[in-house]
Amino acid sequence: MAIQRTFSIIKPDATRRNLTGKINAKFEEAGLRVVAQKRIHLSKAQAGEFYKVHAERPFYDELCEFMASAPIVAQVLEGEDAIAKNREVMGATNPADADAGTIRAEFAESVGENSVHGSDAPETAAEEIAYFFSGLELVG
C-alpha cells in the first residue's frame, strides 16, 4: 500500500468538549501521523467556501453556521492508505450506524454534529489540504 496524505477536521462539537487529544490518539493508534495541524475559528464565509460542494443541499446553511460556531482543528494525516484508514477510524456519518470504537460512535452528538470530517478521495484530499495549509506547513 502507498503512503498517502489526507485531510481531517476535528469539528466544533468536539473542540468544545476538549476531545482533540482523544480523537488524535485514535488516528495515531490506527497508524496515521499528524504532519500538519492548526486550531482556527472559521467565519461563516470561510466555512461556506470550504463546503461549497454542498451549496445546493438543504443542510448547507446549518452546516456553515455549525462550522463557524467554535474553533476547529484542521490537520493533515499521513500513513498507508490514509484516506481509507481515516474514514474507517471516523466511522459512519450517522453515529447510530458507526461501528463501536470509531470516533463518531464514541464522540458524535448527532448526524450534523459528528465530531470529525475526512477527505473521501485523493483529489478531494489535495484540494482540502491546500485550502488550509501551505506546502511549508506540511512537515512529515
Side-chain angles (χ1 to χ4, degrees):
M1 292 191 193
I3 299 294
Q4 287 182 318
R5 287 185 172 166
T6 190
F7 181 70
S8 168
I9 294 176
I10 300 175
K11 293 180 177 181
D13 62 295
T15 62
R16 265 191 219 103
R17 293 177 290 142
N18 204 29
L19 296 174
T20 301
K22 289 179 180 178
I23 289 171
N24 278 335
K26 288 194 168 287
F27 290 135
E28 291 174 341
E29 287 165 10
L32 296 169
R33 197 165 62 119
V34 177
V35 297
Q37 184 180 70
K38 61 175 89 172
R39 183 180 179 96
I40 56 176
H41 197 145
L42 295 174
S43 68
K44 187 174 178 192
Q46 289 167 323
E49 179 63 23
F50 180 74
Y51 283 109
K52 67 184 174 190
V53 67
H54 298 303
E56 301 302 319
R57 312 271 310 257
F59 60 82
Y60 176 73
D61 285 334
E62 185 179 341
L63 173 62
C64 295
E65 287 284 340
F66 166 62
M67 292 301 289
S69 69
I72 64 163
V73 175
Q75 54 193 14
V76 179
L77 305 175
E78 182 180 81
E80 286 191 26
D81 204 19
I83 294 166
K85 179 61 69 178
N86 179 33
R87 297 186 70 74
E88 176 185 321
V89 173
M90 288 190 309
T93 301
N94 183 341
D97 299 332
D99 291 339
T102 63
I103 292 168
R104 289 177 173 149
E106 290 190 23
F107 304 124
E109 296 183 314
S110 67
V111 173
E113 296 188 11
N114 61 18
S115 300
V116 286
H117 163 90
S119 301
D120 61 1
E123 300 78 22
T124 310
E127 290 172 15
E128 292 178 342
I129 289 168
Y131 186 82
F132 285 95
F133 295 96
S134 74
L136 293 173
E137 295 174 296
L138 304 174
V139 293

